[in-house]
């Protein structure tokens, strides 16, 4: 007979706001010993077509973006079913949640509703066991020995595309401090580059250039082309006293679905064929120390991704293409459409499925980049998840805006909890997970 020593007694959600002022869910899961776990759900702007469904109310309230129905689904159907469940079995918790909504994309109850309970239960379980969340996820949920790896942060320093009102088609320009010894030095390095970038852009483009976009990178007002952005970033790396290409390398999230129309991609005011866009990326790779490229083509173009992968030396990260969905990740692996998975827990809607997607990627020798969304909250779940998964990479925005900075602060805290006894991949960021 299985004796359950702790159970879920109460689940309560409420409607809160995300970093763009749009409604999202905060959910509290309470256990029989009064332990509480809290989770807040993020939300994207450049969402992939096949992402799990965010249930929104429509109508006038909050311009249609209210989540009152999703909140009510947590407080009624989900709370009723989950009362009495064992919170220490994350896979069983997630299975029960999926049974409640077997629809494609979790659109009946809302992936936002389901995810809030999935995450909050993991937090409650780790609190009950008096474990740190990263420790709980790694040792209890993934059954891996407690060997930890801190991620190289992919810090977003210039926003474009759907995340800023500027001329840049590419959505995210990022720096990766690979020359640092640990995450503490990496965050310091990134912040120093970030501030130098702000200063440099003010002197060249005026004060407007220093405003920040949705993810905390500068909006880069006045920058006309991707090359302008890369030039400014390289200049800032040097001004901060670091060596571009050696101590700090570059990454982008093109989020190319945002500038794709009728078979053509429009970047820097030029319409390009897929072949021309490949040449464009390759030229950037030759001119600047670009080492990671996310979503270089439209989200349906598995073939264009595959063609690019044969020509580039960069990490090719799939986000909108694979939407953290285990089945679509398998397809992308089969079609050789990339070599790295961007992992966003809310694209798939449960903790267990997100971990499964990461494990499928690892098994195929892909790397994993744990990621925030452009609409965020103060929740720092992803910092712990990246350490637990030993992903070696995290994408969590600029060094400004507290919903971004809190994730960096949690990484600093984890480093302190572990007394620095954790690896930092440095230039091995693409393959670091293999040793863990
Ligand atoms: P999103 O953007 O959260 O707006 O989808 C982030 C990303 O594309 O990585
Ligand atoms: Zn992306």
């Amino acid at each position: 007979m299985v004796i359950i020593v702790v159970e879920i007694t109460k689940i309560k959600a409420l409607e809160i706001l995300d970093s763009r002022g749009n409604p999202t869910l905060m959910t509290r899961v309470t256990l029989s010993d009064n332990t509480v776990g809290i989770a807040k759900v993020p939300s994207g702007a450049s969402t992939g077509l096949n992402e799990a469904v965010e249930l929104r109310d429509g109508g006038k309230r909050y311009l249609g973006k209210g989540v009152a129905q999703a909140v009510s689904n947590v407080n009624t159907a989900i709370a009723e079913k989950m009362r009495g469940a064992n919170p220490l079995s994350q896979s069983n918790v997630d299975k029960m949640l999926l049974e409640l909504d077997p629809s494609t994309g979790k659109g009946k109850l809302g992936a936002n509703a389901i995810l809030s309970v999935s995450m909050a239960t993991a937090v409650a379980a780790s609190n009950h066991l008096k474990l740190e969340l990263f420790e709980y996820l790694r040792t209890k949920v993934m059954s891996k020995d407690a060997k930890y790896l801190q991620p190289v942060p992919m810090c977003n320093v210039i926003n474009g595309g759907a995340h800023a009102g500027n001329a840049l088609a590419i959505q995210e320009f990022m720096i990766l401090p690979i020359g640092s010894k640990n995450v503490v030095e990496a965050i310091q390095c990134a912040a120093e580059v970030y501030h130098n970038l702000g200063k440099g852009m003010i002197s060249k483009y005026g004060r407007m250039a220093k405003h920040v976009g949705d993810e905390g990178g500068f909006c880069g007002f006045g920058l006309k082309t991707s090359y302008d952005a890369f030039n400014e970033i390289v200049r800032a790396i040097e001004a901060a006293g670091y060596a571009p290409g050696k101590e700090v390398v570059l990454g982008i999230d093109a989020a190319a679905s945002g500038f794709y129309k009728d078979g053509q991609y429009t970047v820097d005011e030029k319409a390009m064929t897929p072949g021309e866009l490949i040449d464009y990326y390759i030229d950037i790779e030759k001119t600047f120390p670009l080492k990671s490229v996310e979503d270089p083509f439209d989200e349906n173009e598995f073939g264009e991704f595959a063609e690019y992968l044969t020509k580039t030396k960069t990490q090719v990260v799939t986000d909108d293409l694979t939407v953290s969905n285990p089945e679509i990740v398998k397809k992308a692996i089969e079609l050789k459409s990339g070599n790295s998975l961007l992992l966003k827990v809310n694209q798939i809607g449960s903790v267990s499925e997100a971990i499964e997607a990461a494990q499928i990627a690892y098994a195929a020798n892909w790397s994993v980049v744990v990621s925030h969304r452009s609409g965020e909250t103060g929740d720092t779940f992803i910092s712990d998840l990246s350490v637990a998964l030993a992903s070696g990479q995290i994408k969590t925005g600029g060094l400004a805006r507290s919903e971004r900075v809190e994730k960096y602060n949690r990484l600093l805290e984890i480093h302190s909890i572990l007394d620095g006894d954790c690896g930092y991949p440095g230039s091995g960021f693409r393959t670091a997970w293999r040793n863990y």
Side-chain angles (χ1 to χ4, degrees):
M1 202 177 77
V2 183
I3 303 165
I4 297 177
V5 290
V6 63
E7 58 185 47
I8 294 175
T9 51
K10 192 172 167 193
I11 301 182
K12 187 142 195 267
L14 68 149
E15 194 177 47
I16 60 165
L17 295 184
D18 72 14
S19 56
R20 279 192 281 247
N22 293 322
T24 188
L25 288 94
M26 167 175 163
T27 293
R28 286 168 71 94
V29 168
T30 308
L31 308 185
S32 44
D33 65 346
N34 287 328
T35 311
V36 172
I38 296 173
K40 300 173 198 161
V41 175
S43 173
S46 61
T47 45
L49 266 182
N50 296 311
E51 282 193 27
V53 180
E54 255 177 4
L55 189 63
R56 297 210 178 263
D57 301 332
K60 271 194 154 163
R61 227 181 130 254
Y62 280 118
L63 290 82
K65 292 194 168 161
V67 292
Q69 185 58 51
V71 164
S72 157
N73 292 345
V74 172
N75 293 341
T76 55
I78 296 179
E80 274 159 35
K81 166 139 181 173
M82 300 309 290
R83 201 169 300 126
N86 175 7
L88 305 182
S89 171
Q90 187 68 33
S91 58
N92 193 49
V93 163
D94 289 335
K95 195 163 140 263
M96 289 172 76
L97 290 168
L98 300 196
E99 279 165 10
L100 269 176
D101 185 354
S103 69
T104 318
K106 306 177 178 65
K108 194 175 120 210
L109 294 176
N112 41 358
I114 290 173
L115 178 66
S116 73
V117 177
S118 178
M119 284 166 62
T121 304
V123 175
S126 70
N127 289 340
H128 168 77
L129 294 172
K130 301 200 171 17
L131 296 174
E132 292 293 332
L133 181 60
F134 66 88
E135 201 180 351
Y136 172 71
L137 290 173
R138 186 155 180 87
T139 56
K140 302 291 179 202
V141 180
M142 295 174 215
S143 314
K144 291 261 190 231
D145 285 348
K147 203 168 178 198
Y148 299 109
L149 182 66
Q150 293 243 305
V152 169
M154 281 187 172
C155 303
N156 181 335
V157 290
I158 295 179
N159 288 190
H163 296 165
N166 61 21
L168 303 173
I170 289 179
Q171 184 174 277
E172 299 170 27
F173 295 80
M174 295 175 283
I175 52 169
L176 287 72
I178 59 165
S180 303
K181 275 209 305 290
N182 54 40
V183 81
V184 179
E185 281 190 8
I187 289 170
Q188 181 193 326
C189 163
E192 288 168 4
V193 173
Y194 181 77
H195 292 302
N196 274 286
L197 179 62
K199 264 205 247 162
M201 288 201 301
I202 285 180
S203 64
K204 194 153 171 202
Y205 296 100
R207 291 195 64 78
M208 293 273 279
K210 205 179 163 241
H211 294 170
V212 298
D214 283 1
E215 294 190 340
F218 296 118
C219 75
F221 181 84
L223 301 175
K224 291 215 162 44
T225 69
S226 310
Y227 286 78
D228 291 343
F230 287 121
N231 277 322
E232 287 307 313
I233 296 168
V234 168
R235 209 193 320 267
I237 295 169
E238 284 166 348
Y242 298 96
K246 202 156 167 256
E247 291 174 298
V248 183
V249 297
L250 309 180
I252 54 168
D253 176 8
S257 301
F259 52 85
Y260 173 79
K261 206 167 169 225
D262 303 330
Q264 295 228 299
Y265 296 91
T266 304
V267 186
D268 299 347
E269 292 185 342
K270 271 197 288 292
M272 300 186 207
T273 63
E276 286 165 343
L277 186 60
I278 290 181
D279 293 343
Y280 177 84
Y281 291 132
I282 298 287
D283 188 64
I284 293 174
E285 186 180 330
K286 287 184 179 149
T287 317
F288 303 98
L290 180 70
K291 300 293 176 197
S292 184
V293 175
E294 177 184 333
D295 279 350
F297 300 94
D298 177 66
E299 63 195 314
N300 295 306
E301 302 297 337
F302 286 80
E304 291 173 14
F305 275 74
E307 174 73 15
Y308 174 55
L309 188 67
T310 63
K311 299 196 167 138
T312 180
K313 291 196 175 62
T314 65
Q315 170 173 263
V316 178
V317 188
T318 64
D319 171 16
D320 292 347
L321 189 79
T322 38
V323 292
S324 307
N325 180 319
E327 292 313 310
I328 306 178
V329 174
K330 282 183 203 161
K331 177 178 170 185
I333 288 167
E334 229 172 84
L335 296 174
K336 297 189 168 47
S337 298
N339 54 25
S340 182
L341 172 69
L342 198 82
L343 189 67
K344 293 167 166 167
V345 184
N346 84 321
Q347 279 179 327
I348 183 68
S350 77
V351 173
S352 300
E353 289 168 290
I355 291 173
E356 185 193 345
Q359 285 166 339
I360 291 167
Y362 285 162
N365 262 336
W366 283 37
S367 56
V368 170
V369 183
V370 175
S371 172
H372 65 163
R373 298 306 306 246
S374 52
E376 265 294 340
T377 72
D379 195 301
T380 57
F381 192 96
I382 62 166
S383 302
D384 285 71
L385 183 64
S386 75
V387 172
L389 278 170
S391 67
Q393 300 179 69
I394 191 169
K395 187 173 97 154
T396 190
L399 284 304
R401 301 185 59 134
S402 14
E403 77 279 3
R404 316 291 149 190
V405 170
E406 279 308 302
K407 274 83 163 167
Y408 291 119
N409 288 345
R410 175 61 182 160
L411 289 174
L412 295 172
E413 187 186 8
I414 293 173
H415 186 270
S416 162
I417 290 166
L418 294 173
D419 278 332
D421 187 17
C422 44
Y424 183 75
S427 59
F429 67 96
R430 286 164 64 180
T431 52
W433 57 272
R434 287 185 196 161
N435 301 323
Y436 281 77

